[in-house]
Amino acid sequence: MLPNLRKTPHGYTYLKTVPVDLREVLDTTVVKRALGRNYSVAKARWAELEAETTALFQRLRQDLQRSQSAEDAIDAYLKQPRATRLKPLDAGRPGLAAQLSALHLSGLALEAKARSPKGWRWLDATERDKFAGEVNAVLELIKNAVVTGDVSAFIPVVEQLAESRGYRLVDTSGDDIQALTYDFLKAAQHSCHVLLARQNGEFAEPTIPEAEPLPAVWELGLQSKVVKPKRPRLSDVTTLYSDRLAVFNRKTQTTNLSWWIRLIEHCHDKELDEVTPTDIYEFFEKRLNDLKKPWSMQYERTVASGLREAFAIAKAKGLCQRNPVSELETMPAISKVEEKKRKKPRRPFSVEQLNILFSSAWYDSTAEDWQQRMKWDLGVRYWVPLLSLYHGFRVREPLQLLVSDIVDGPHPLVKIQVDDDDDDSEVRSLPERRVKNQATRRVIPIHPVLLQLGFMDFLEIAKKNGERSPLFPSALPRRSSKSPMWGRAYEQRFVPLVRDTLGFGRGYCNHSFRHSLEDCLRNTQLEDKWPAGLGQFYTGRTLPGDKDKGFFMELGSEQGYGDGYNPALIMPYVERLQYRGLKLPEPFTRWLRGQPPVDEKLISLLDKEWGSDWRLGN
């Protein structure tokens, strides 16, 4: 489990302890957030919260440091003798009037806050009227001072304002303090007008001079500390790295960001230039030796690549001078035996296992084992495993199919997102459909076995939802999802079925169909080799795997030209892909037992979430 992520009977919860020195400021000992029951969504939100809380704690510590420094400075100032602690300030200094005016007018923000719902209230109407009368009286005094030029009544106000910041005004000419006061009266008069407007129910705000308010004497020694730029830390890279990852899919974003967050915690958010190759080595060493979920060396290399990129971004932005991951000359290692144990193999289904699956509750249209989308969408339960078995589809490829991706004809075809680059507003009304790489985009003939089981009959029924609606409606993500992923409901039910319920164990999932097809392809090559590149084209691979290089004819640079094979001409090869001893489910229409492929409850749910958008063609 990821650090600060807890699993409870109610789902996943983010629980991070607040450092002791920040608890009084935040008024809590932990940061706690409910993340829901879906692990992928929880993991994504976890990465965001880790970045947010790390930045929050750092910012609060900086604020506390500044606040503490200011408090210490005030204490030191007040300990000085009263008669000598006031610093002389020339009343004729250029710009002083603007600084005092800015200081005076900025105080009106506190007055406005006091009027807010959480502020004070007038005791009665007479008190409110009395205040307005006092302000009007001050305005009359200001007017008289402006007319007569006699500002003596306001000199104590200016002197007191300067004294509140630790200064004693000095008038060397005898006229400077009067001129200063006269200029200050503009701000005083303006503040009175603002107060009266507020008394009349207006949201009045003062126009503050551009000058910086007069700094306090005790703040002068802090100026260099406040403006001194802080040295970048690991957490300062989080936003930059997150922005770089935004071009990738959600899984890549959250996974890579989680690596970076782990490194921040391991290094206690060091300054970037203090992170050494030793820190990186010890980080990987700790992960390899973790008692709960240790990494493999192969995964370690993948993580190193991601961290190297994060440091490279920081270096390019001038946050650091070195890339400690690139400087790492060796990585911690484990034995080959232990490495093999830690890998997550994806195993092919044997024919015996496929027969068990086809006779399980998954292929019982009347079974009560399923709920919600998997109960309401019988088409997805019947056809996705078969499509994957006979075409080697990756799990998202069949689940993202639209009705329009199936082309009827003498040799019915299935298109894997060959049209998604078109400027089609209807397609874009649905969540983005992603593929692994360019080789995944292909047009291939539908296997004859699927046609015999009634796939085209199923297609005709699916068209009723819309000529361009999802072929499997249950695969459509929830419209409110922040990270929509096609087919999540299918995957969340199918994996536990084969791994746990049917007892196949780890390494078995929908991708196992792809491995079964690869084995079938390999065995077919023993009798008659396929044309160069045909096997890769059919399964959507760029190159054959290491196991296949002795079976498949090599393909050169020509693979990068044209649109690939003519789908109709490869049917003789496709129909050779057979599984001996396989006991297929009965044809789809009979298998339904009179039930609709898609229950009206699911249709109503999608209509409510998506309106007519999900139907596209209707």
Side-chain angles (χ1 to χ4, degrees), residues 305-369:
S305 177
L307 297 182
R308 185 180 298 108
E309 182 183 32
F311 276 106
I313 296 169
K315 189 176 178 181
K317 293 290 186 178
L319 299 184
C320 62
Q321 301 298 318
R322 301 164 32 253
N323 189 327
V325 183
S326 297
E327 295 175 10
L328 190 63
E329 296 180 354
T330 186
M331 300 279 279
I334 54 179
S335 67
K336 291 183 178 180
V337 174
E338 185 62 28
E339 174 72 3
K340 187 175 181 180
K341 290 180 182 177
R342 296 184 184 186
K343 288 185 176 180
K344 298 179 180 179
R346 287 174 174 174
R347 309 180 190 279
F349 290 125
S350 66
V351 171
E352 290 75 16
Q353 288 173 322
L354 290 171
N355 288 336
I356 292 173
L357 171 63
F358 291 145
S359 61
S360 71
W362 186 267
Y363 273 90
D364 181 354
S365 62
T366 61
E368 298 295 329
D369 301 56

Side-chain angles (χ1 to χ4, degrees), residues 32-143:
K32 185 177 182 181
R33 299 287 187 276
L35 304 181
R37 296 179 180 275
N38 186 292
Y39 179 69
S40 297
V41 175
K43 184 179 177 182
R45 183 60 182 136
W46 167 86
E48 294 172 352
L49 287 169
E50 281 290 279
E52 291 171 7
T53 53
T54 300
L56 173 64
F57 294 166
Q58 181 182 5
R59 186 174 68 253
L60 288 176
R61 281 200 173 100
Q62 292 172 346
D63 291 344
L64 282 175
Q65 186 176 5
R66 292 193 188 96
S67 176
Q68 186 62 48
S69 299
E71 289 177 7
D72 293 343
I74 293 174
D75 289 341
Y77 171 79
L78 293 176
K79 287 179 181 178
Q80 297 178 35
R82 182 180 179 84
T84 59
R85 68 187 177 204
L86 292 177
K87 182 178 180 179
L89 179 61
D90 186 359
R93 192 184 76 178
L96 180 58
Q99 285 188 295
L100 289 172
S101 297
L103 178 65
H104 173 68
L105 292 172
S106 62
L108 291 178
L110 295 176
E111 197 274 345
K113 187 175 181 180
R115 294 174 183 266
S116 68
K118 293 184 179 180
W120 43 258
R121 294 286 187 276
W122 301 107
L123 295 177
D124 51 48
T126 58
E127 184 183 14
R128 186 176 63 225
D129 295 339
K130 181 181 178 182
F131 177 75
E134 291 173 349
V135 174
N136 278 313
V138 173
L139 272 176
E140 285 300 317
L141 290 174
I142 293 173
K143 290 179 181 178

Side-chain angles (χ1 to χ4, degrees), residues 34-269:
L35 304 181
R37 296 179 180 275
N38 186 292
Y39 179 69
S40 297
V41 175
K43 184 179 177 182
R45 183 60 182 136
W46 167 86
E48 294 172 352
L49 287 169
E50 281 290 279
E52 291 171 7
T53 53
T54 300
L56 173 64
F57 294 166
Q58 181 182 5
R59 186 174 68 253
L60 288 176
R61 281 200 173 100
Q62 292 172 346
D63 291 344
L64 282 175
Q65 186 176 5
R66 292 193 188 96
S67 176
Q68 186 62 48
S69 299
E71 289 177 7
D72 293 343
I74 293 174
D75 289 341
Y77 171 79
L78 293 176
K79 287 179 181 178
Q80 297 178 35
R82 182 180 179 84
T84 59
R85 68 187 177 204
L86 292 177
K87 182 178 180 179
L89 179 61
D90 186 359
R93 192 184 76 178
L96 180 58
Q99 285 188 295
L100 289 172
S101 297
L103 178 65
H104 173 68
L105 292 172
S106 62
L108 291 178
L110 295 176
E111 197 274 345
K113 187 175 181 180
R115 294 174 183 266
S116 68
K118 293 184 179 180
W120 43 258
R121 294 286 187 276
W122 301 107
L123 295 177
D124 51 48
T126 58
E127 184 183 14
R128 186 176 63 225
D129 295 339
K130 181 181 178 182
F131 177 75
E134 291 173 349
V135 174
N136 278 313
V138 173
L139 272 176
E140 285 300 317
L141 290 174
I142 293 173
K143 290 179 181 178
N144 290 333
V146 171
V147 171
T148 64
D150 181 8
V151 297
S152 57
F154 293 95
I155 289 178
V157 175
V158 174
E159 290 178 330
Q160 185 177 7
L161 189 60
E163 187 173 336
S164 70
R165 305 300 281 169
Y167 298 98
R168 175 173 54 84
L169 292 176
V170 177
D171 187 355
T172 57
S173 69
D175 297 325
D176 288 342
I177 198 166
Q178 293 201 45
L180 174 66
T181 304
Y182 190 86
D183 287 340
F184 172 77
L185 287 182
K186 298 175 186 177
Q189 188 180 63
H190 180 47
S191 67
C192 289
H193 288 311
V194 171
L195 290 173
L196 288 176
R198 289 177 179 176
Q199 286 298 99
N200 290 328
E202 300 176 24
F203 290 99
E205 295 295 335
T207 302
I208 300 177
E210 294 183 0
E212 179 187 3
L214 183 66
V217 168
W218 52 86
E219 291 176 349
L220 296 179
L222 299 176
Q223 294 301 308
S224 60
K225 295 181 182 179
V226 174
V227 301
K228 182 180 179 180
K230 67 182 183 68
R231 297 180 65 185
R233 295 181 176 274
L234 286 166
S235 58
D236 293 322
V237 184
T238 303
T239 301
L240 295 174
Y241 191 35
S242 181
D243 292 342
R244 167 63 67 90
L245 294 171
V247 301
F248 300 102
N249 61 53
R250 188 65 176 174
K251 182 178 179 181
T252 299
Q253 293 176 37
T254 56
T255 301
N256 287 38
L257 197 58
S258 71
W259 301 337
W260 186 252
I261 298 299
R262 283 183 183 275
L263 181 65
I264 292 175
E265 293 196 342
H266 172 78
C267 296
H268 304 291
D269 198 16

Side-chain angles (χ1 to χ4, degrees), residues 518-519 521-523 525-526 529-533 535-536 541-555 559:
E518 294 284 1
D519 281 347
L521 266 170
R522 195 175 297 114
N523 292 333
Q525 305 300 308
L526 293 173
K529 282 196 174 183
W530 286 23
Q536 298 95 289
R541 294 178 66 170
T542 304
L543 295 171
D546 292 338
K547 293 182 179 179
D548 300 326
K549 289 181 179 178
F551 295 89
F552 290 87
M553 295 178 65
E554 292 186 4
L555 187 66
Q559 65 180 314

Side-chain angles (χ1 to χ4, degrees), residues 399-429:
L399 290 167
Q400 294 179 152
L401 287 173
L402 304 180
V403 171
S404 57
D405 290 326
I406 309 302
V407 182
D408 201 354
H411 298 288
L413 309 174
V414 57
K415 300 187 297 183
I416 302 299
Q417 291 172 246
V418 295
D419 298 328
D420 273 13
D421 292 334
D422 294 348
D423 184 17
D424 192 328
S425 60
E426 291 182 331
V427 172
R428 290 203 307 273
S429 68

Side-chain angles (χ1 to χ4, degrees), residues 18 22-30:
V18 175
L22 300 179
R23 292 179 181 177
E24 185 176 352
V25 179
L26 290 175
D27 195 26
T28 184
T29 58
V30 294

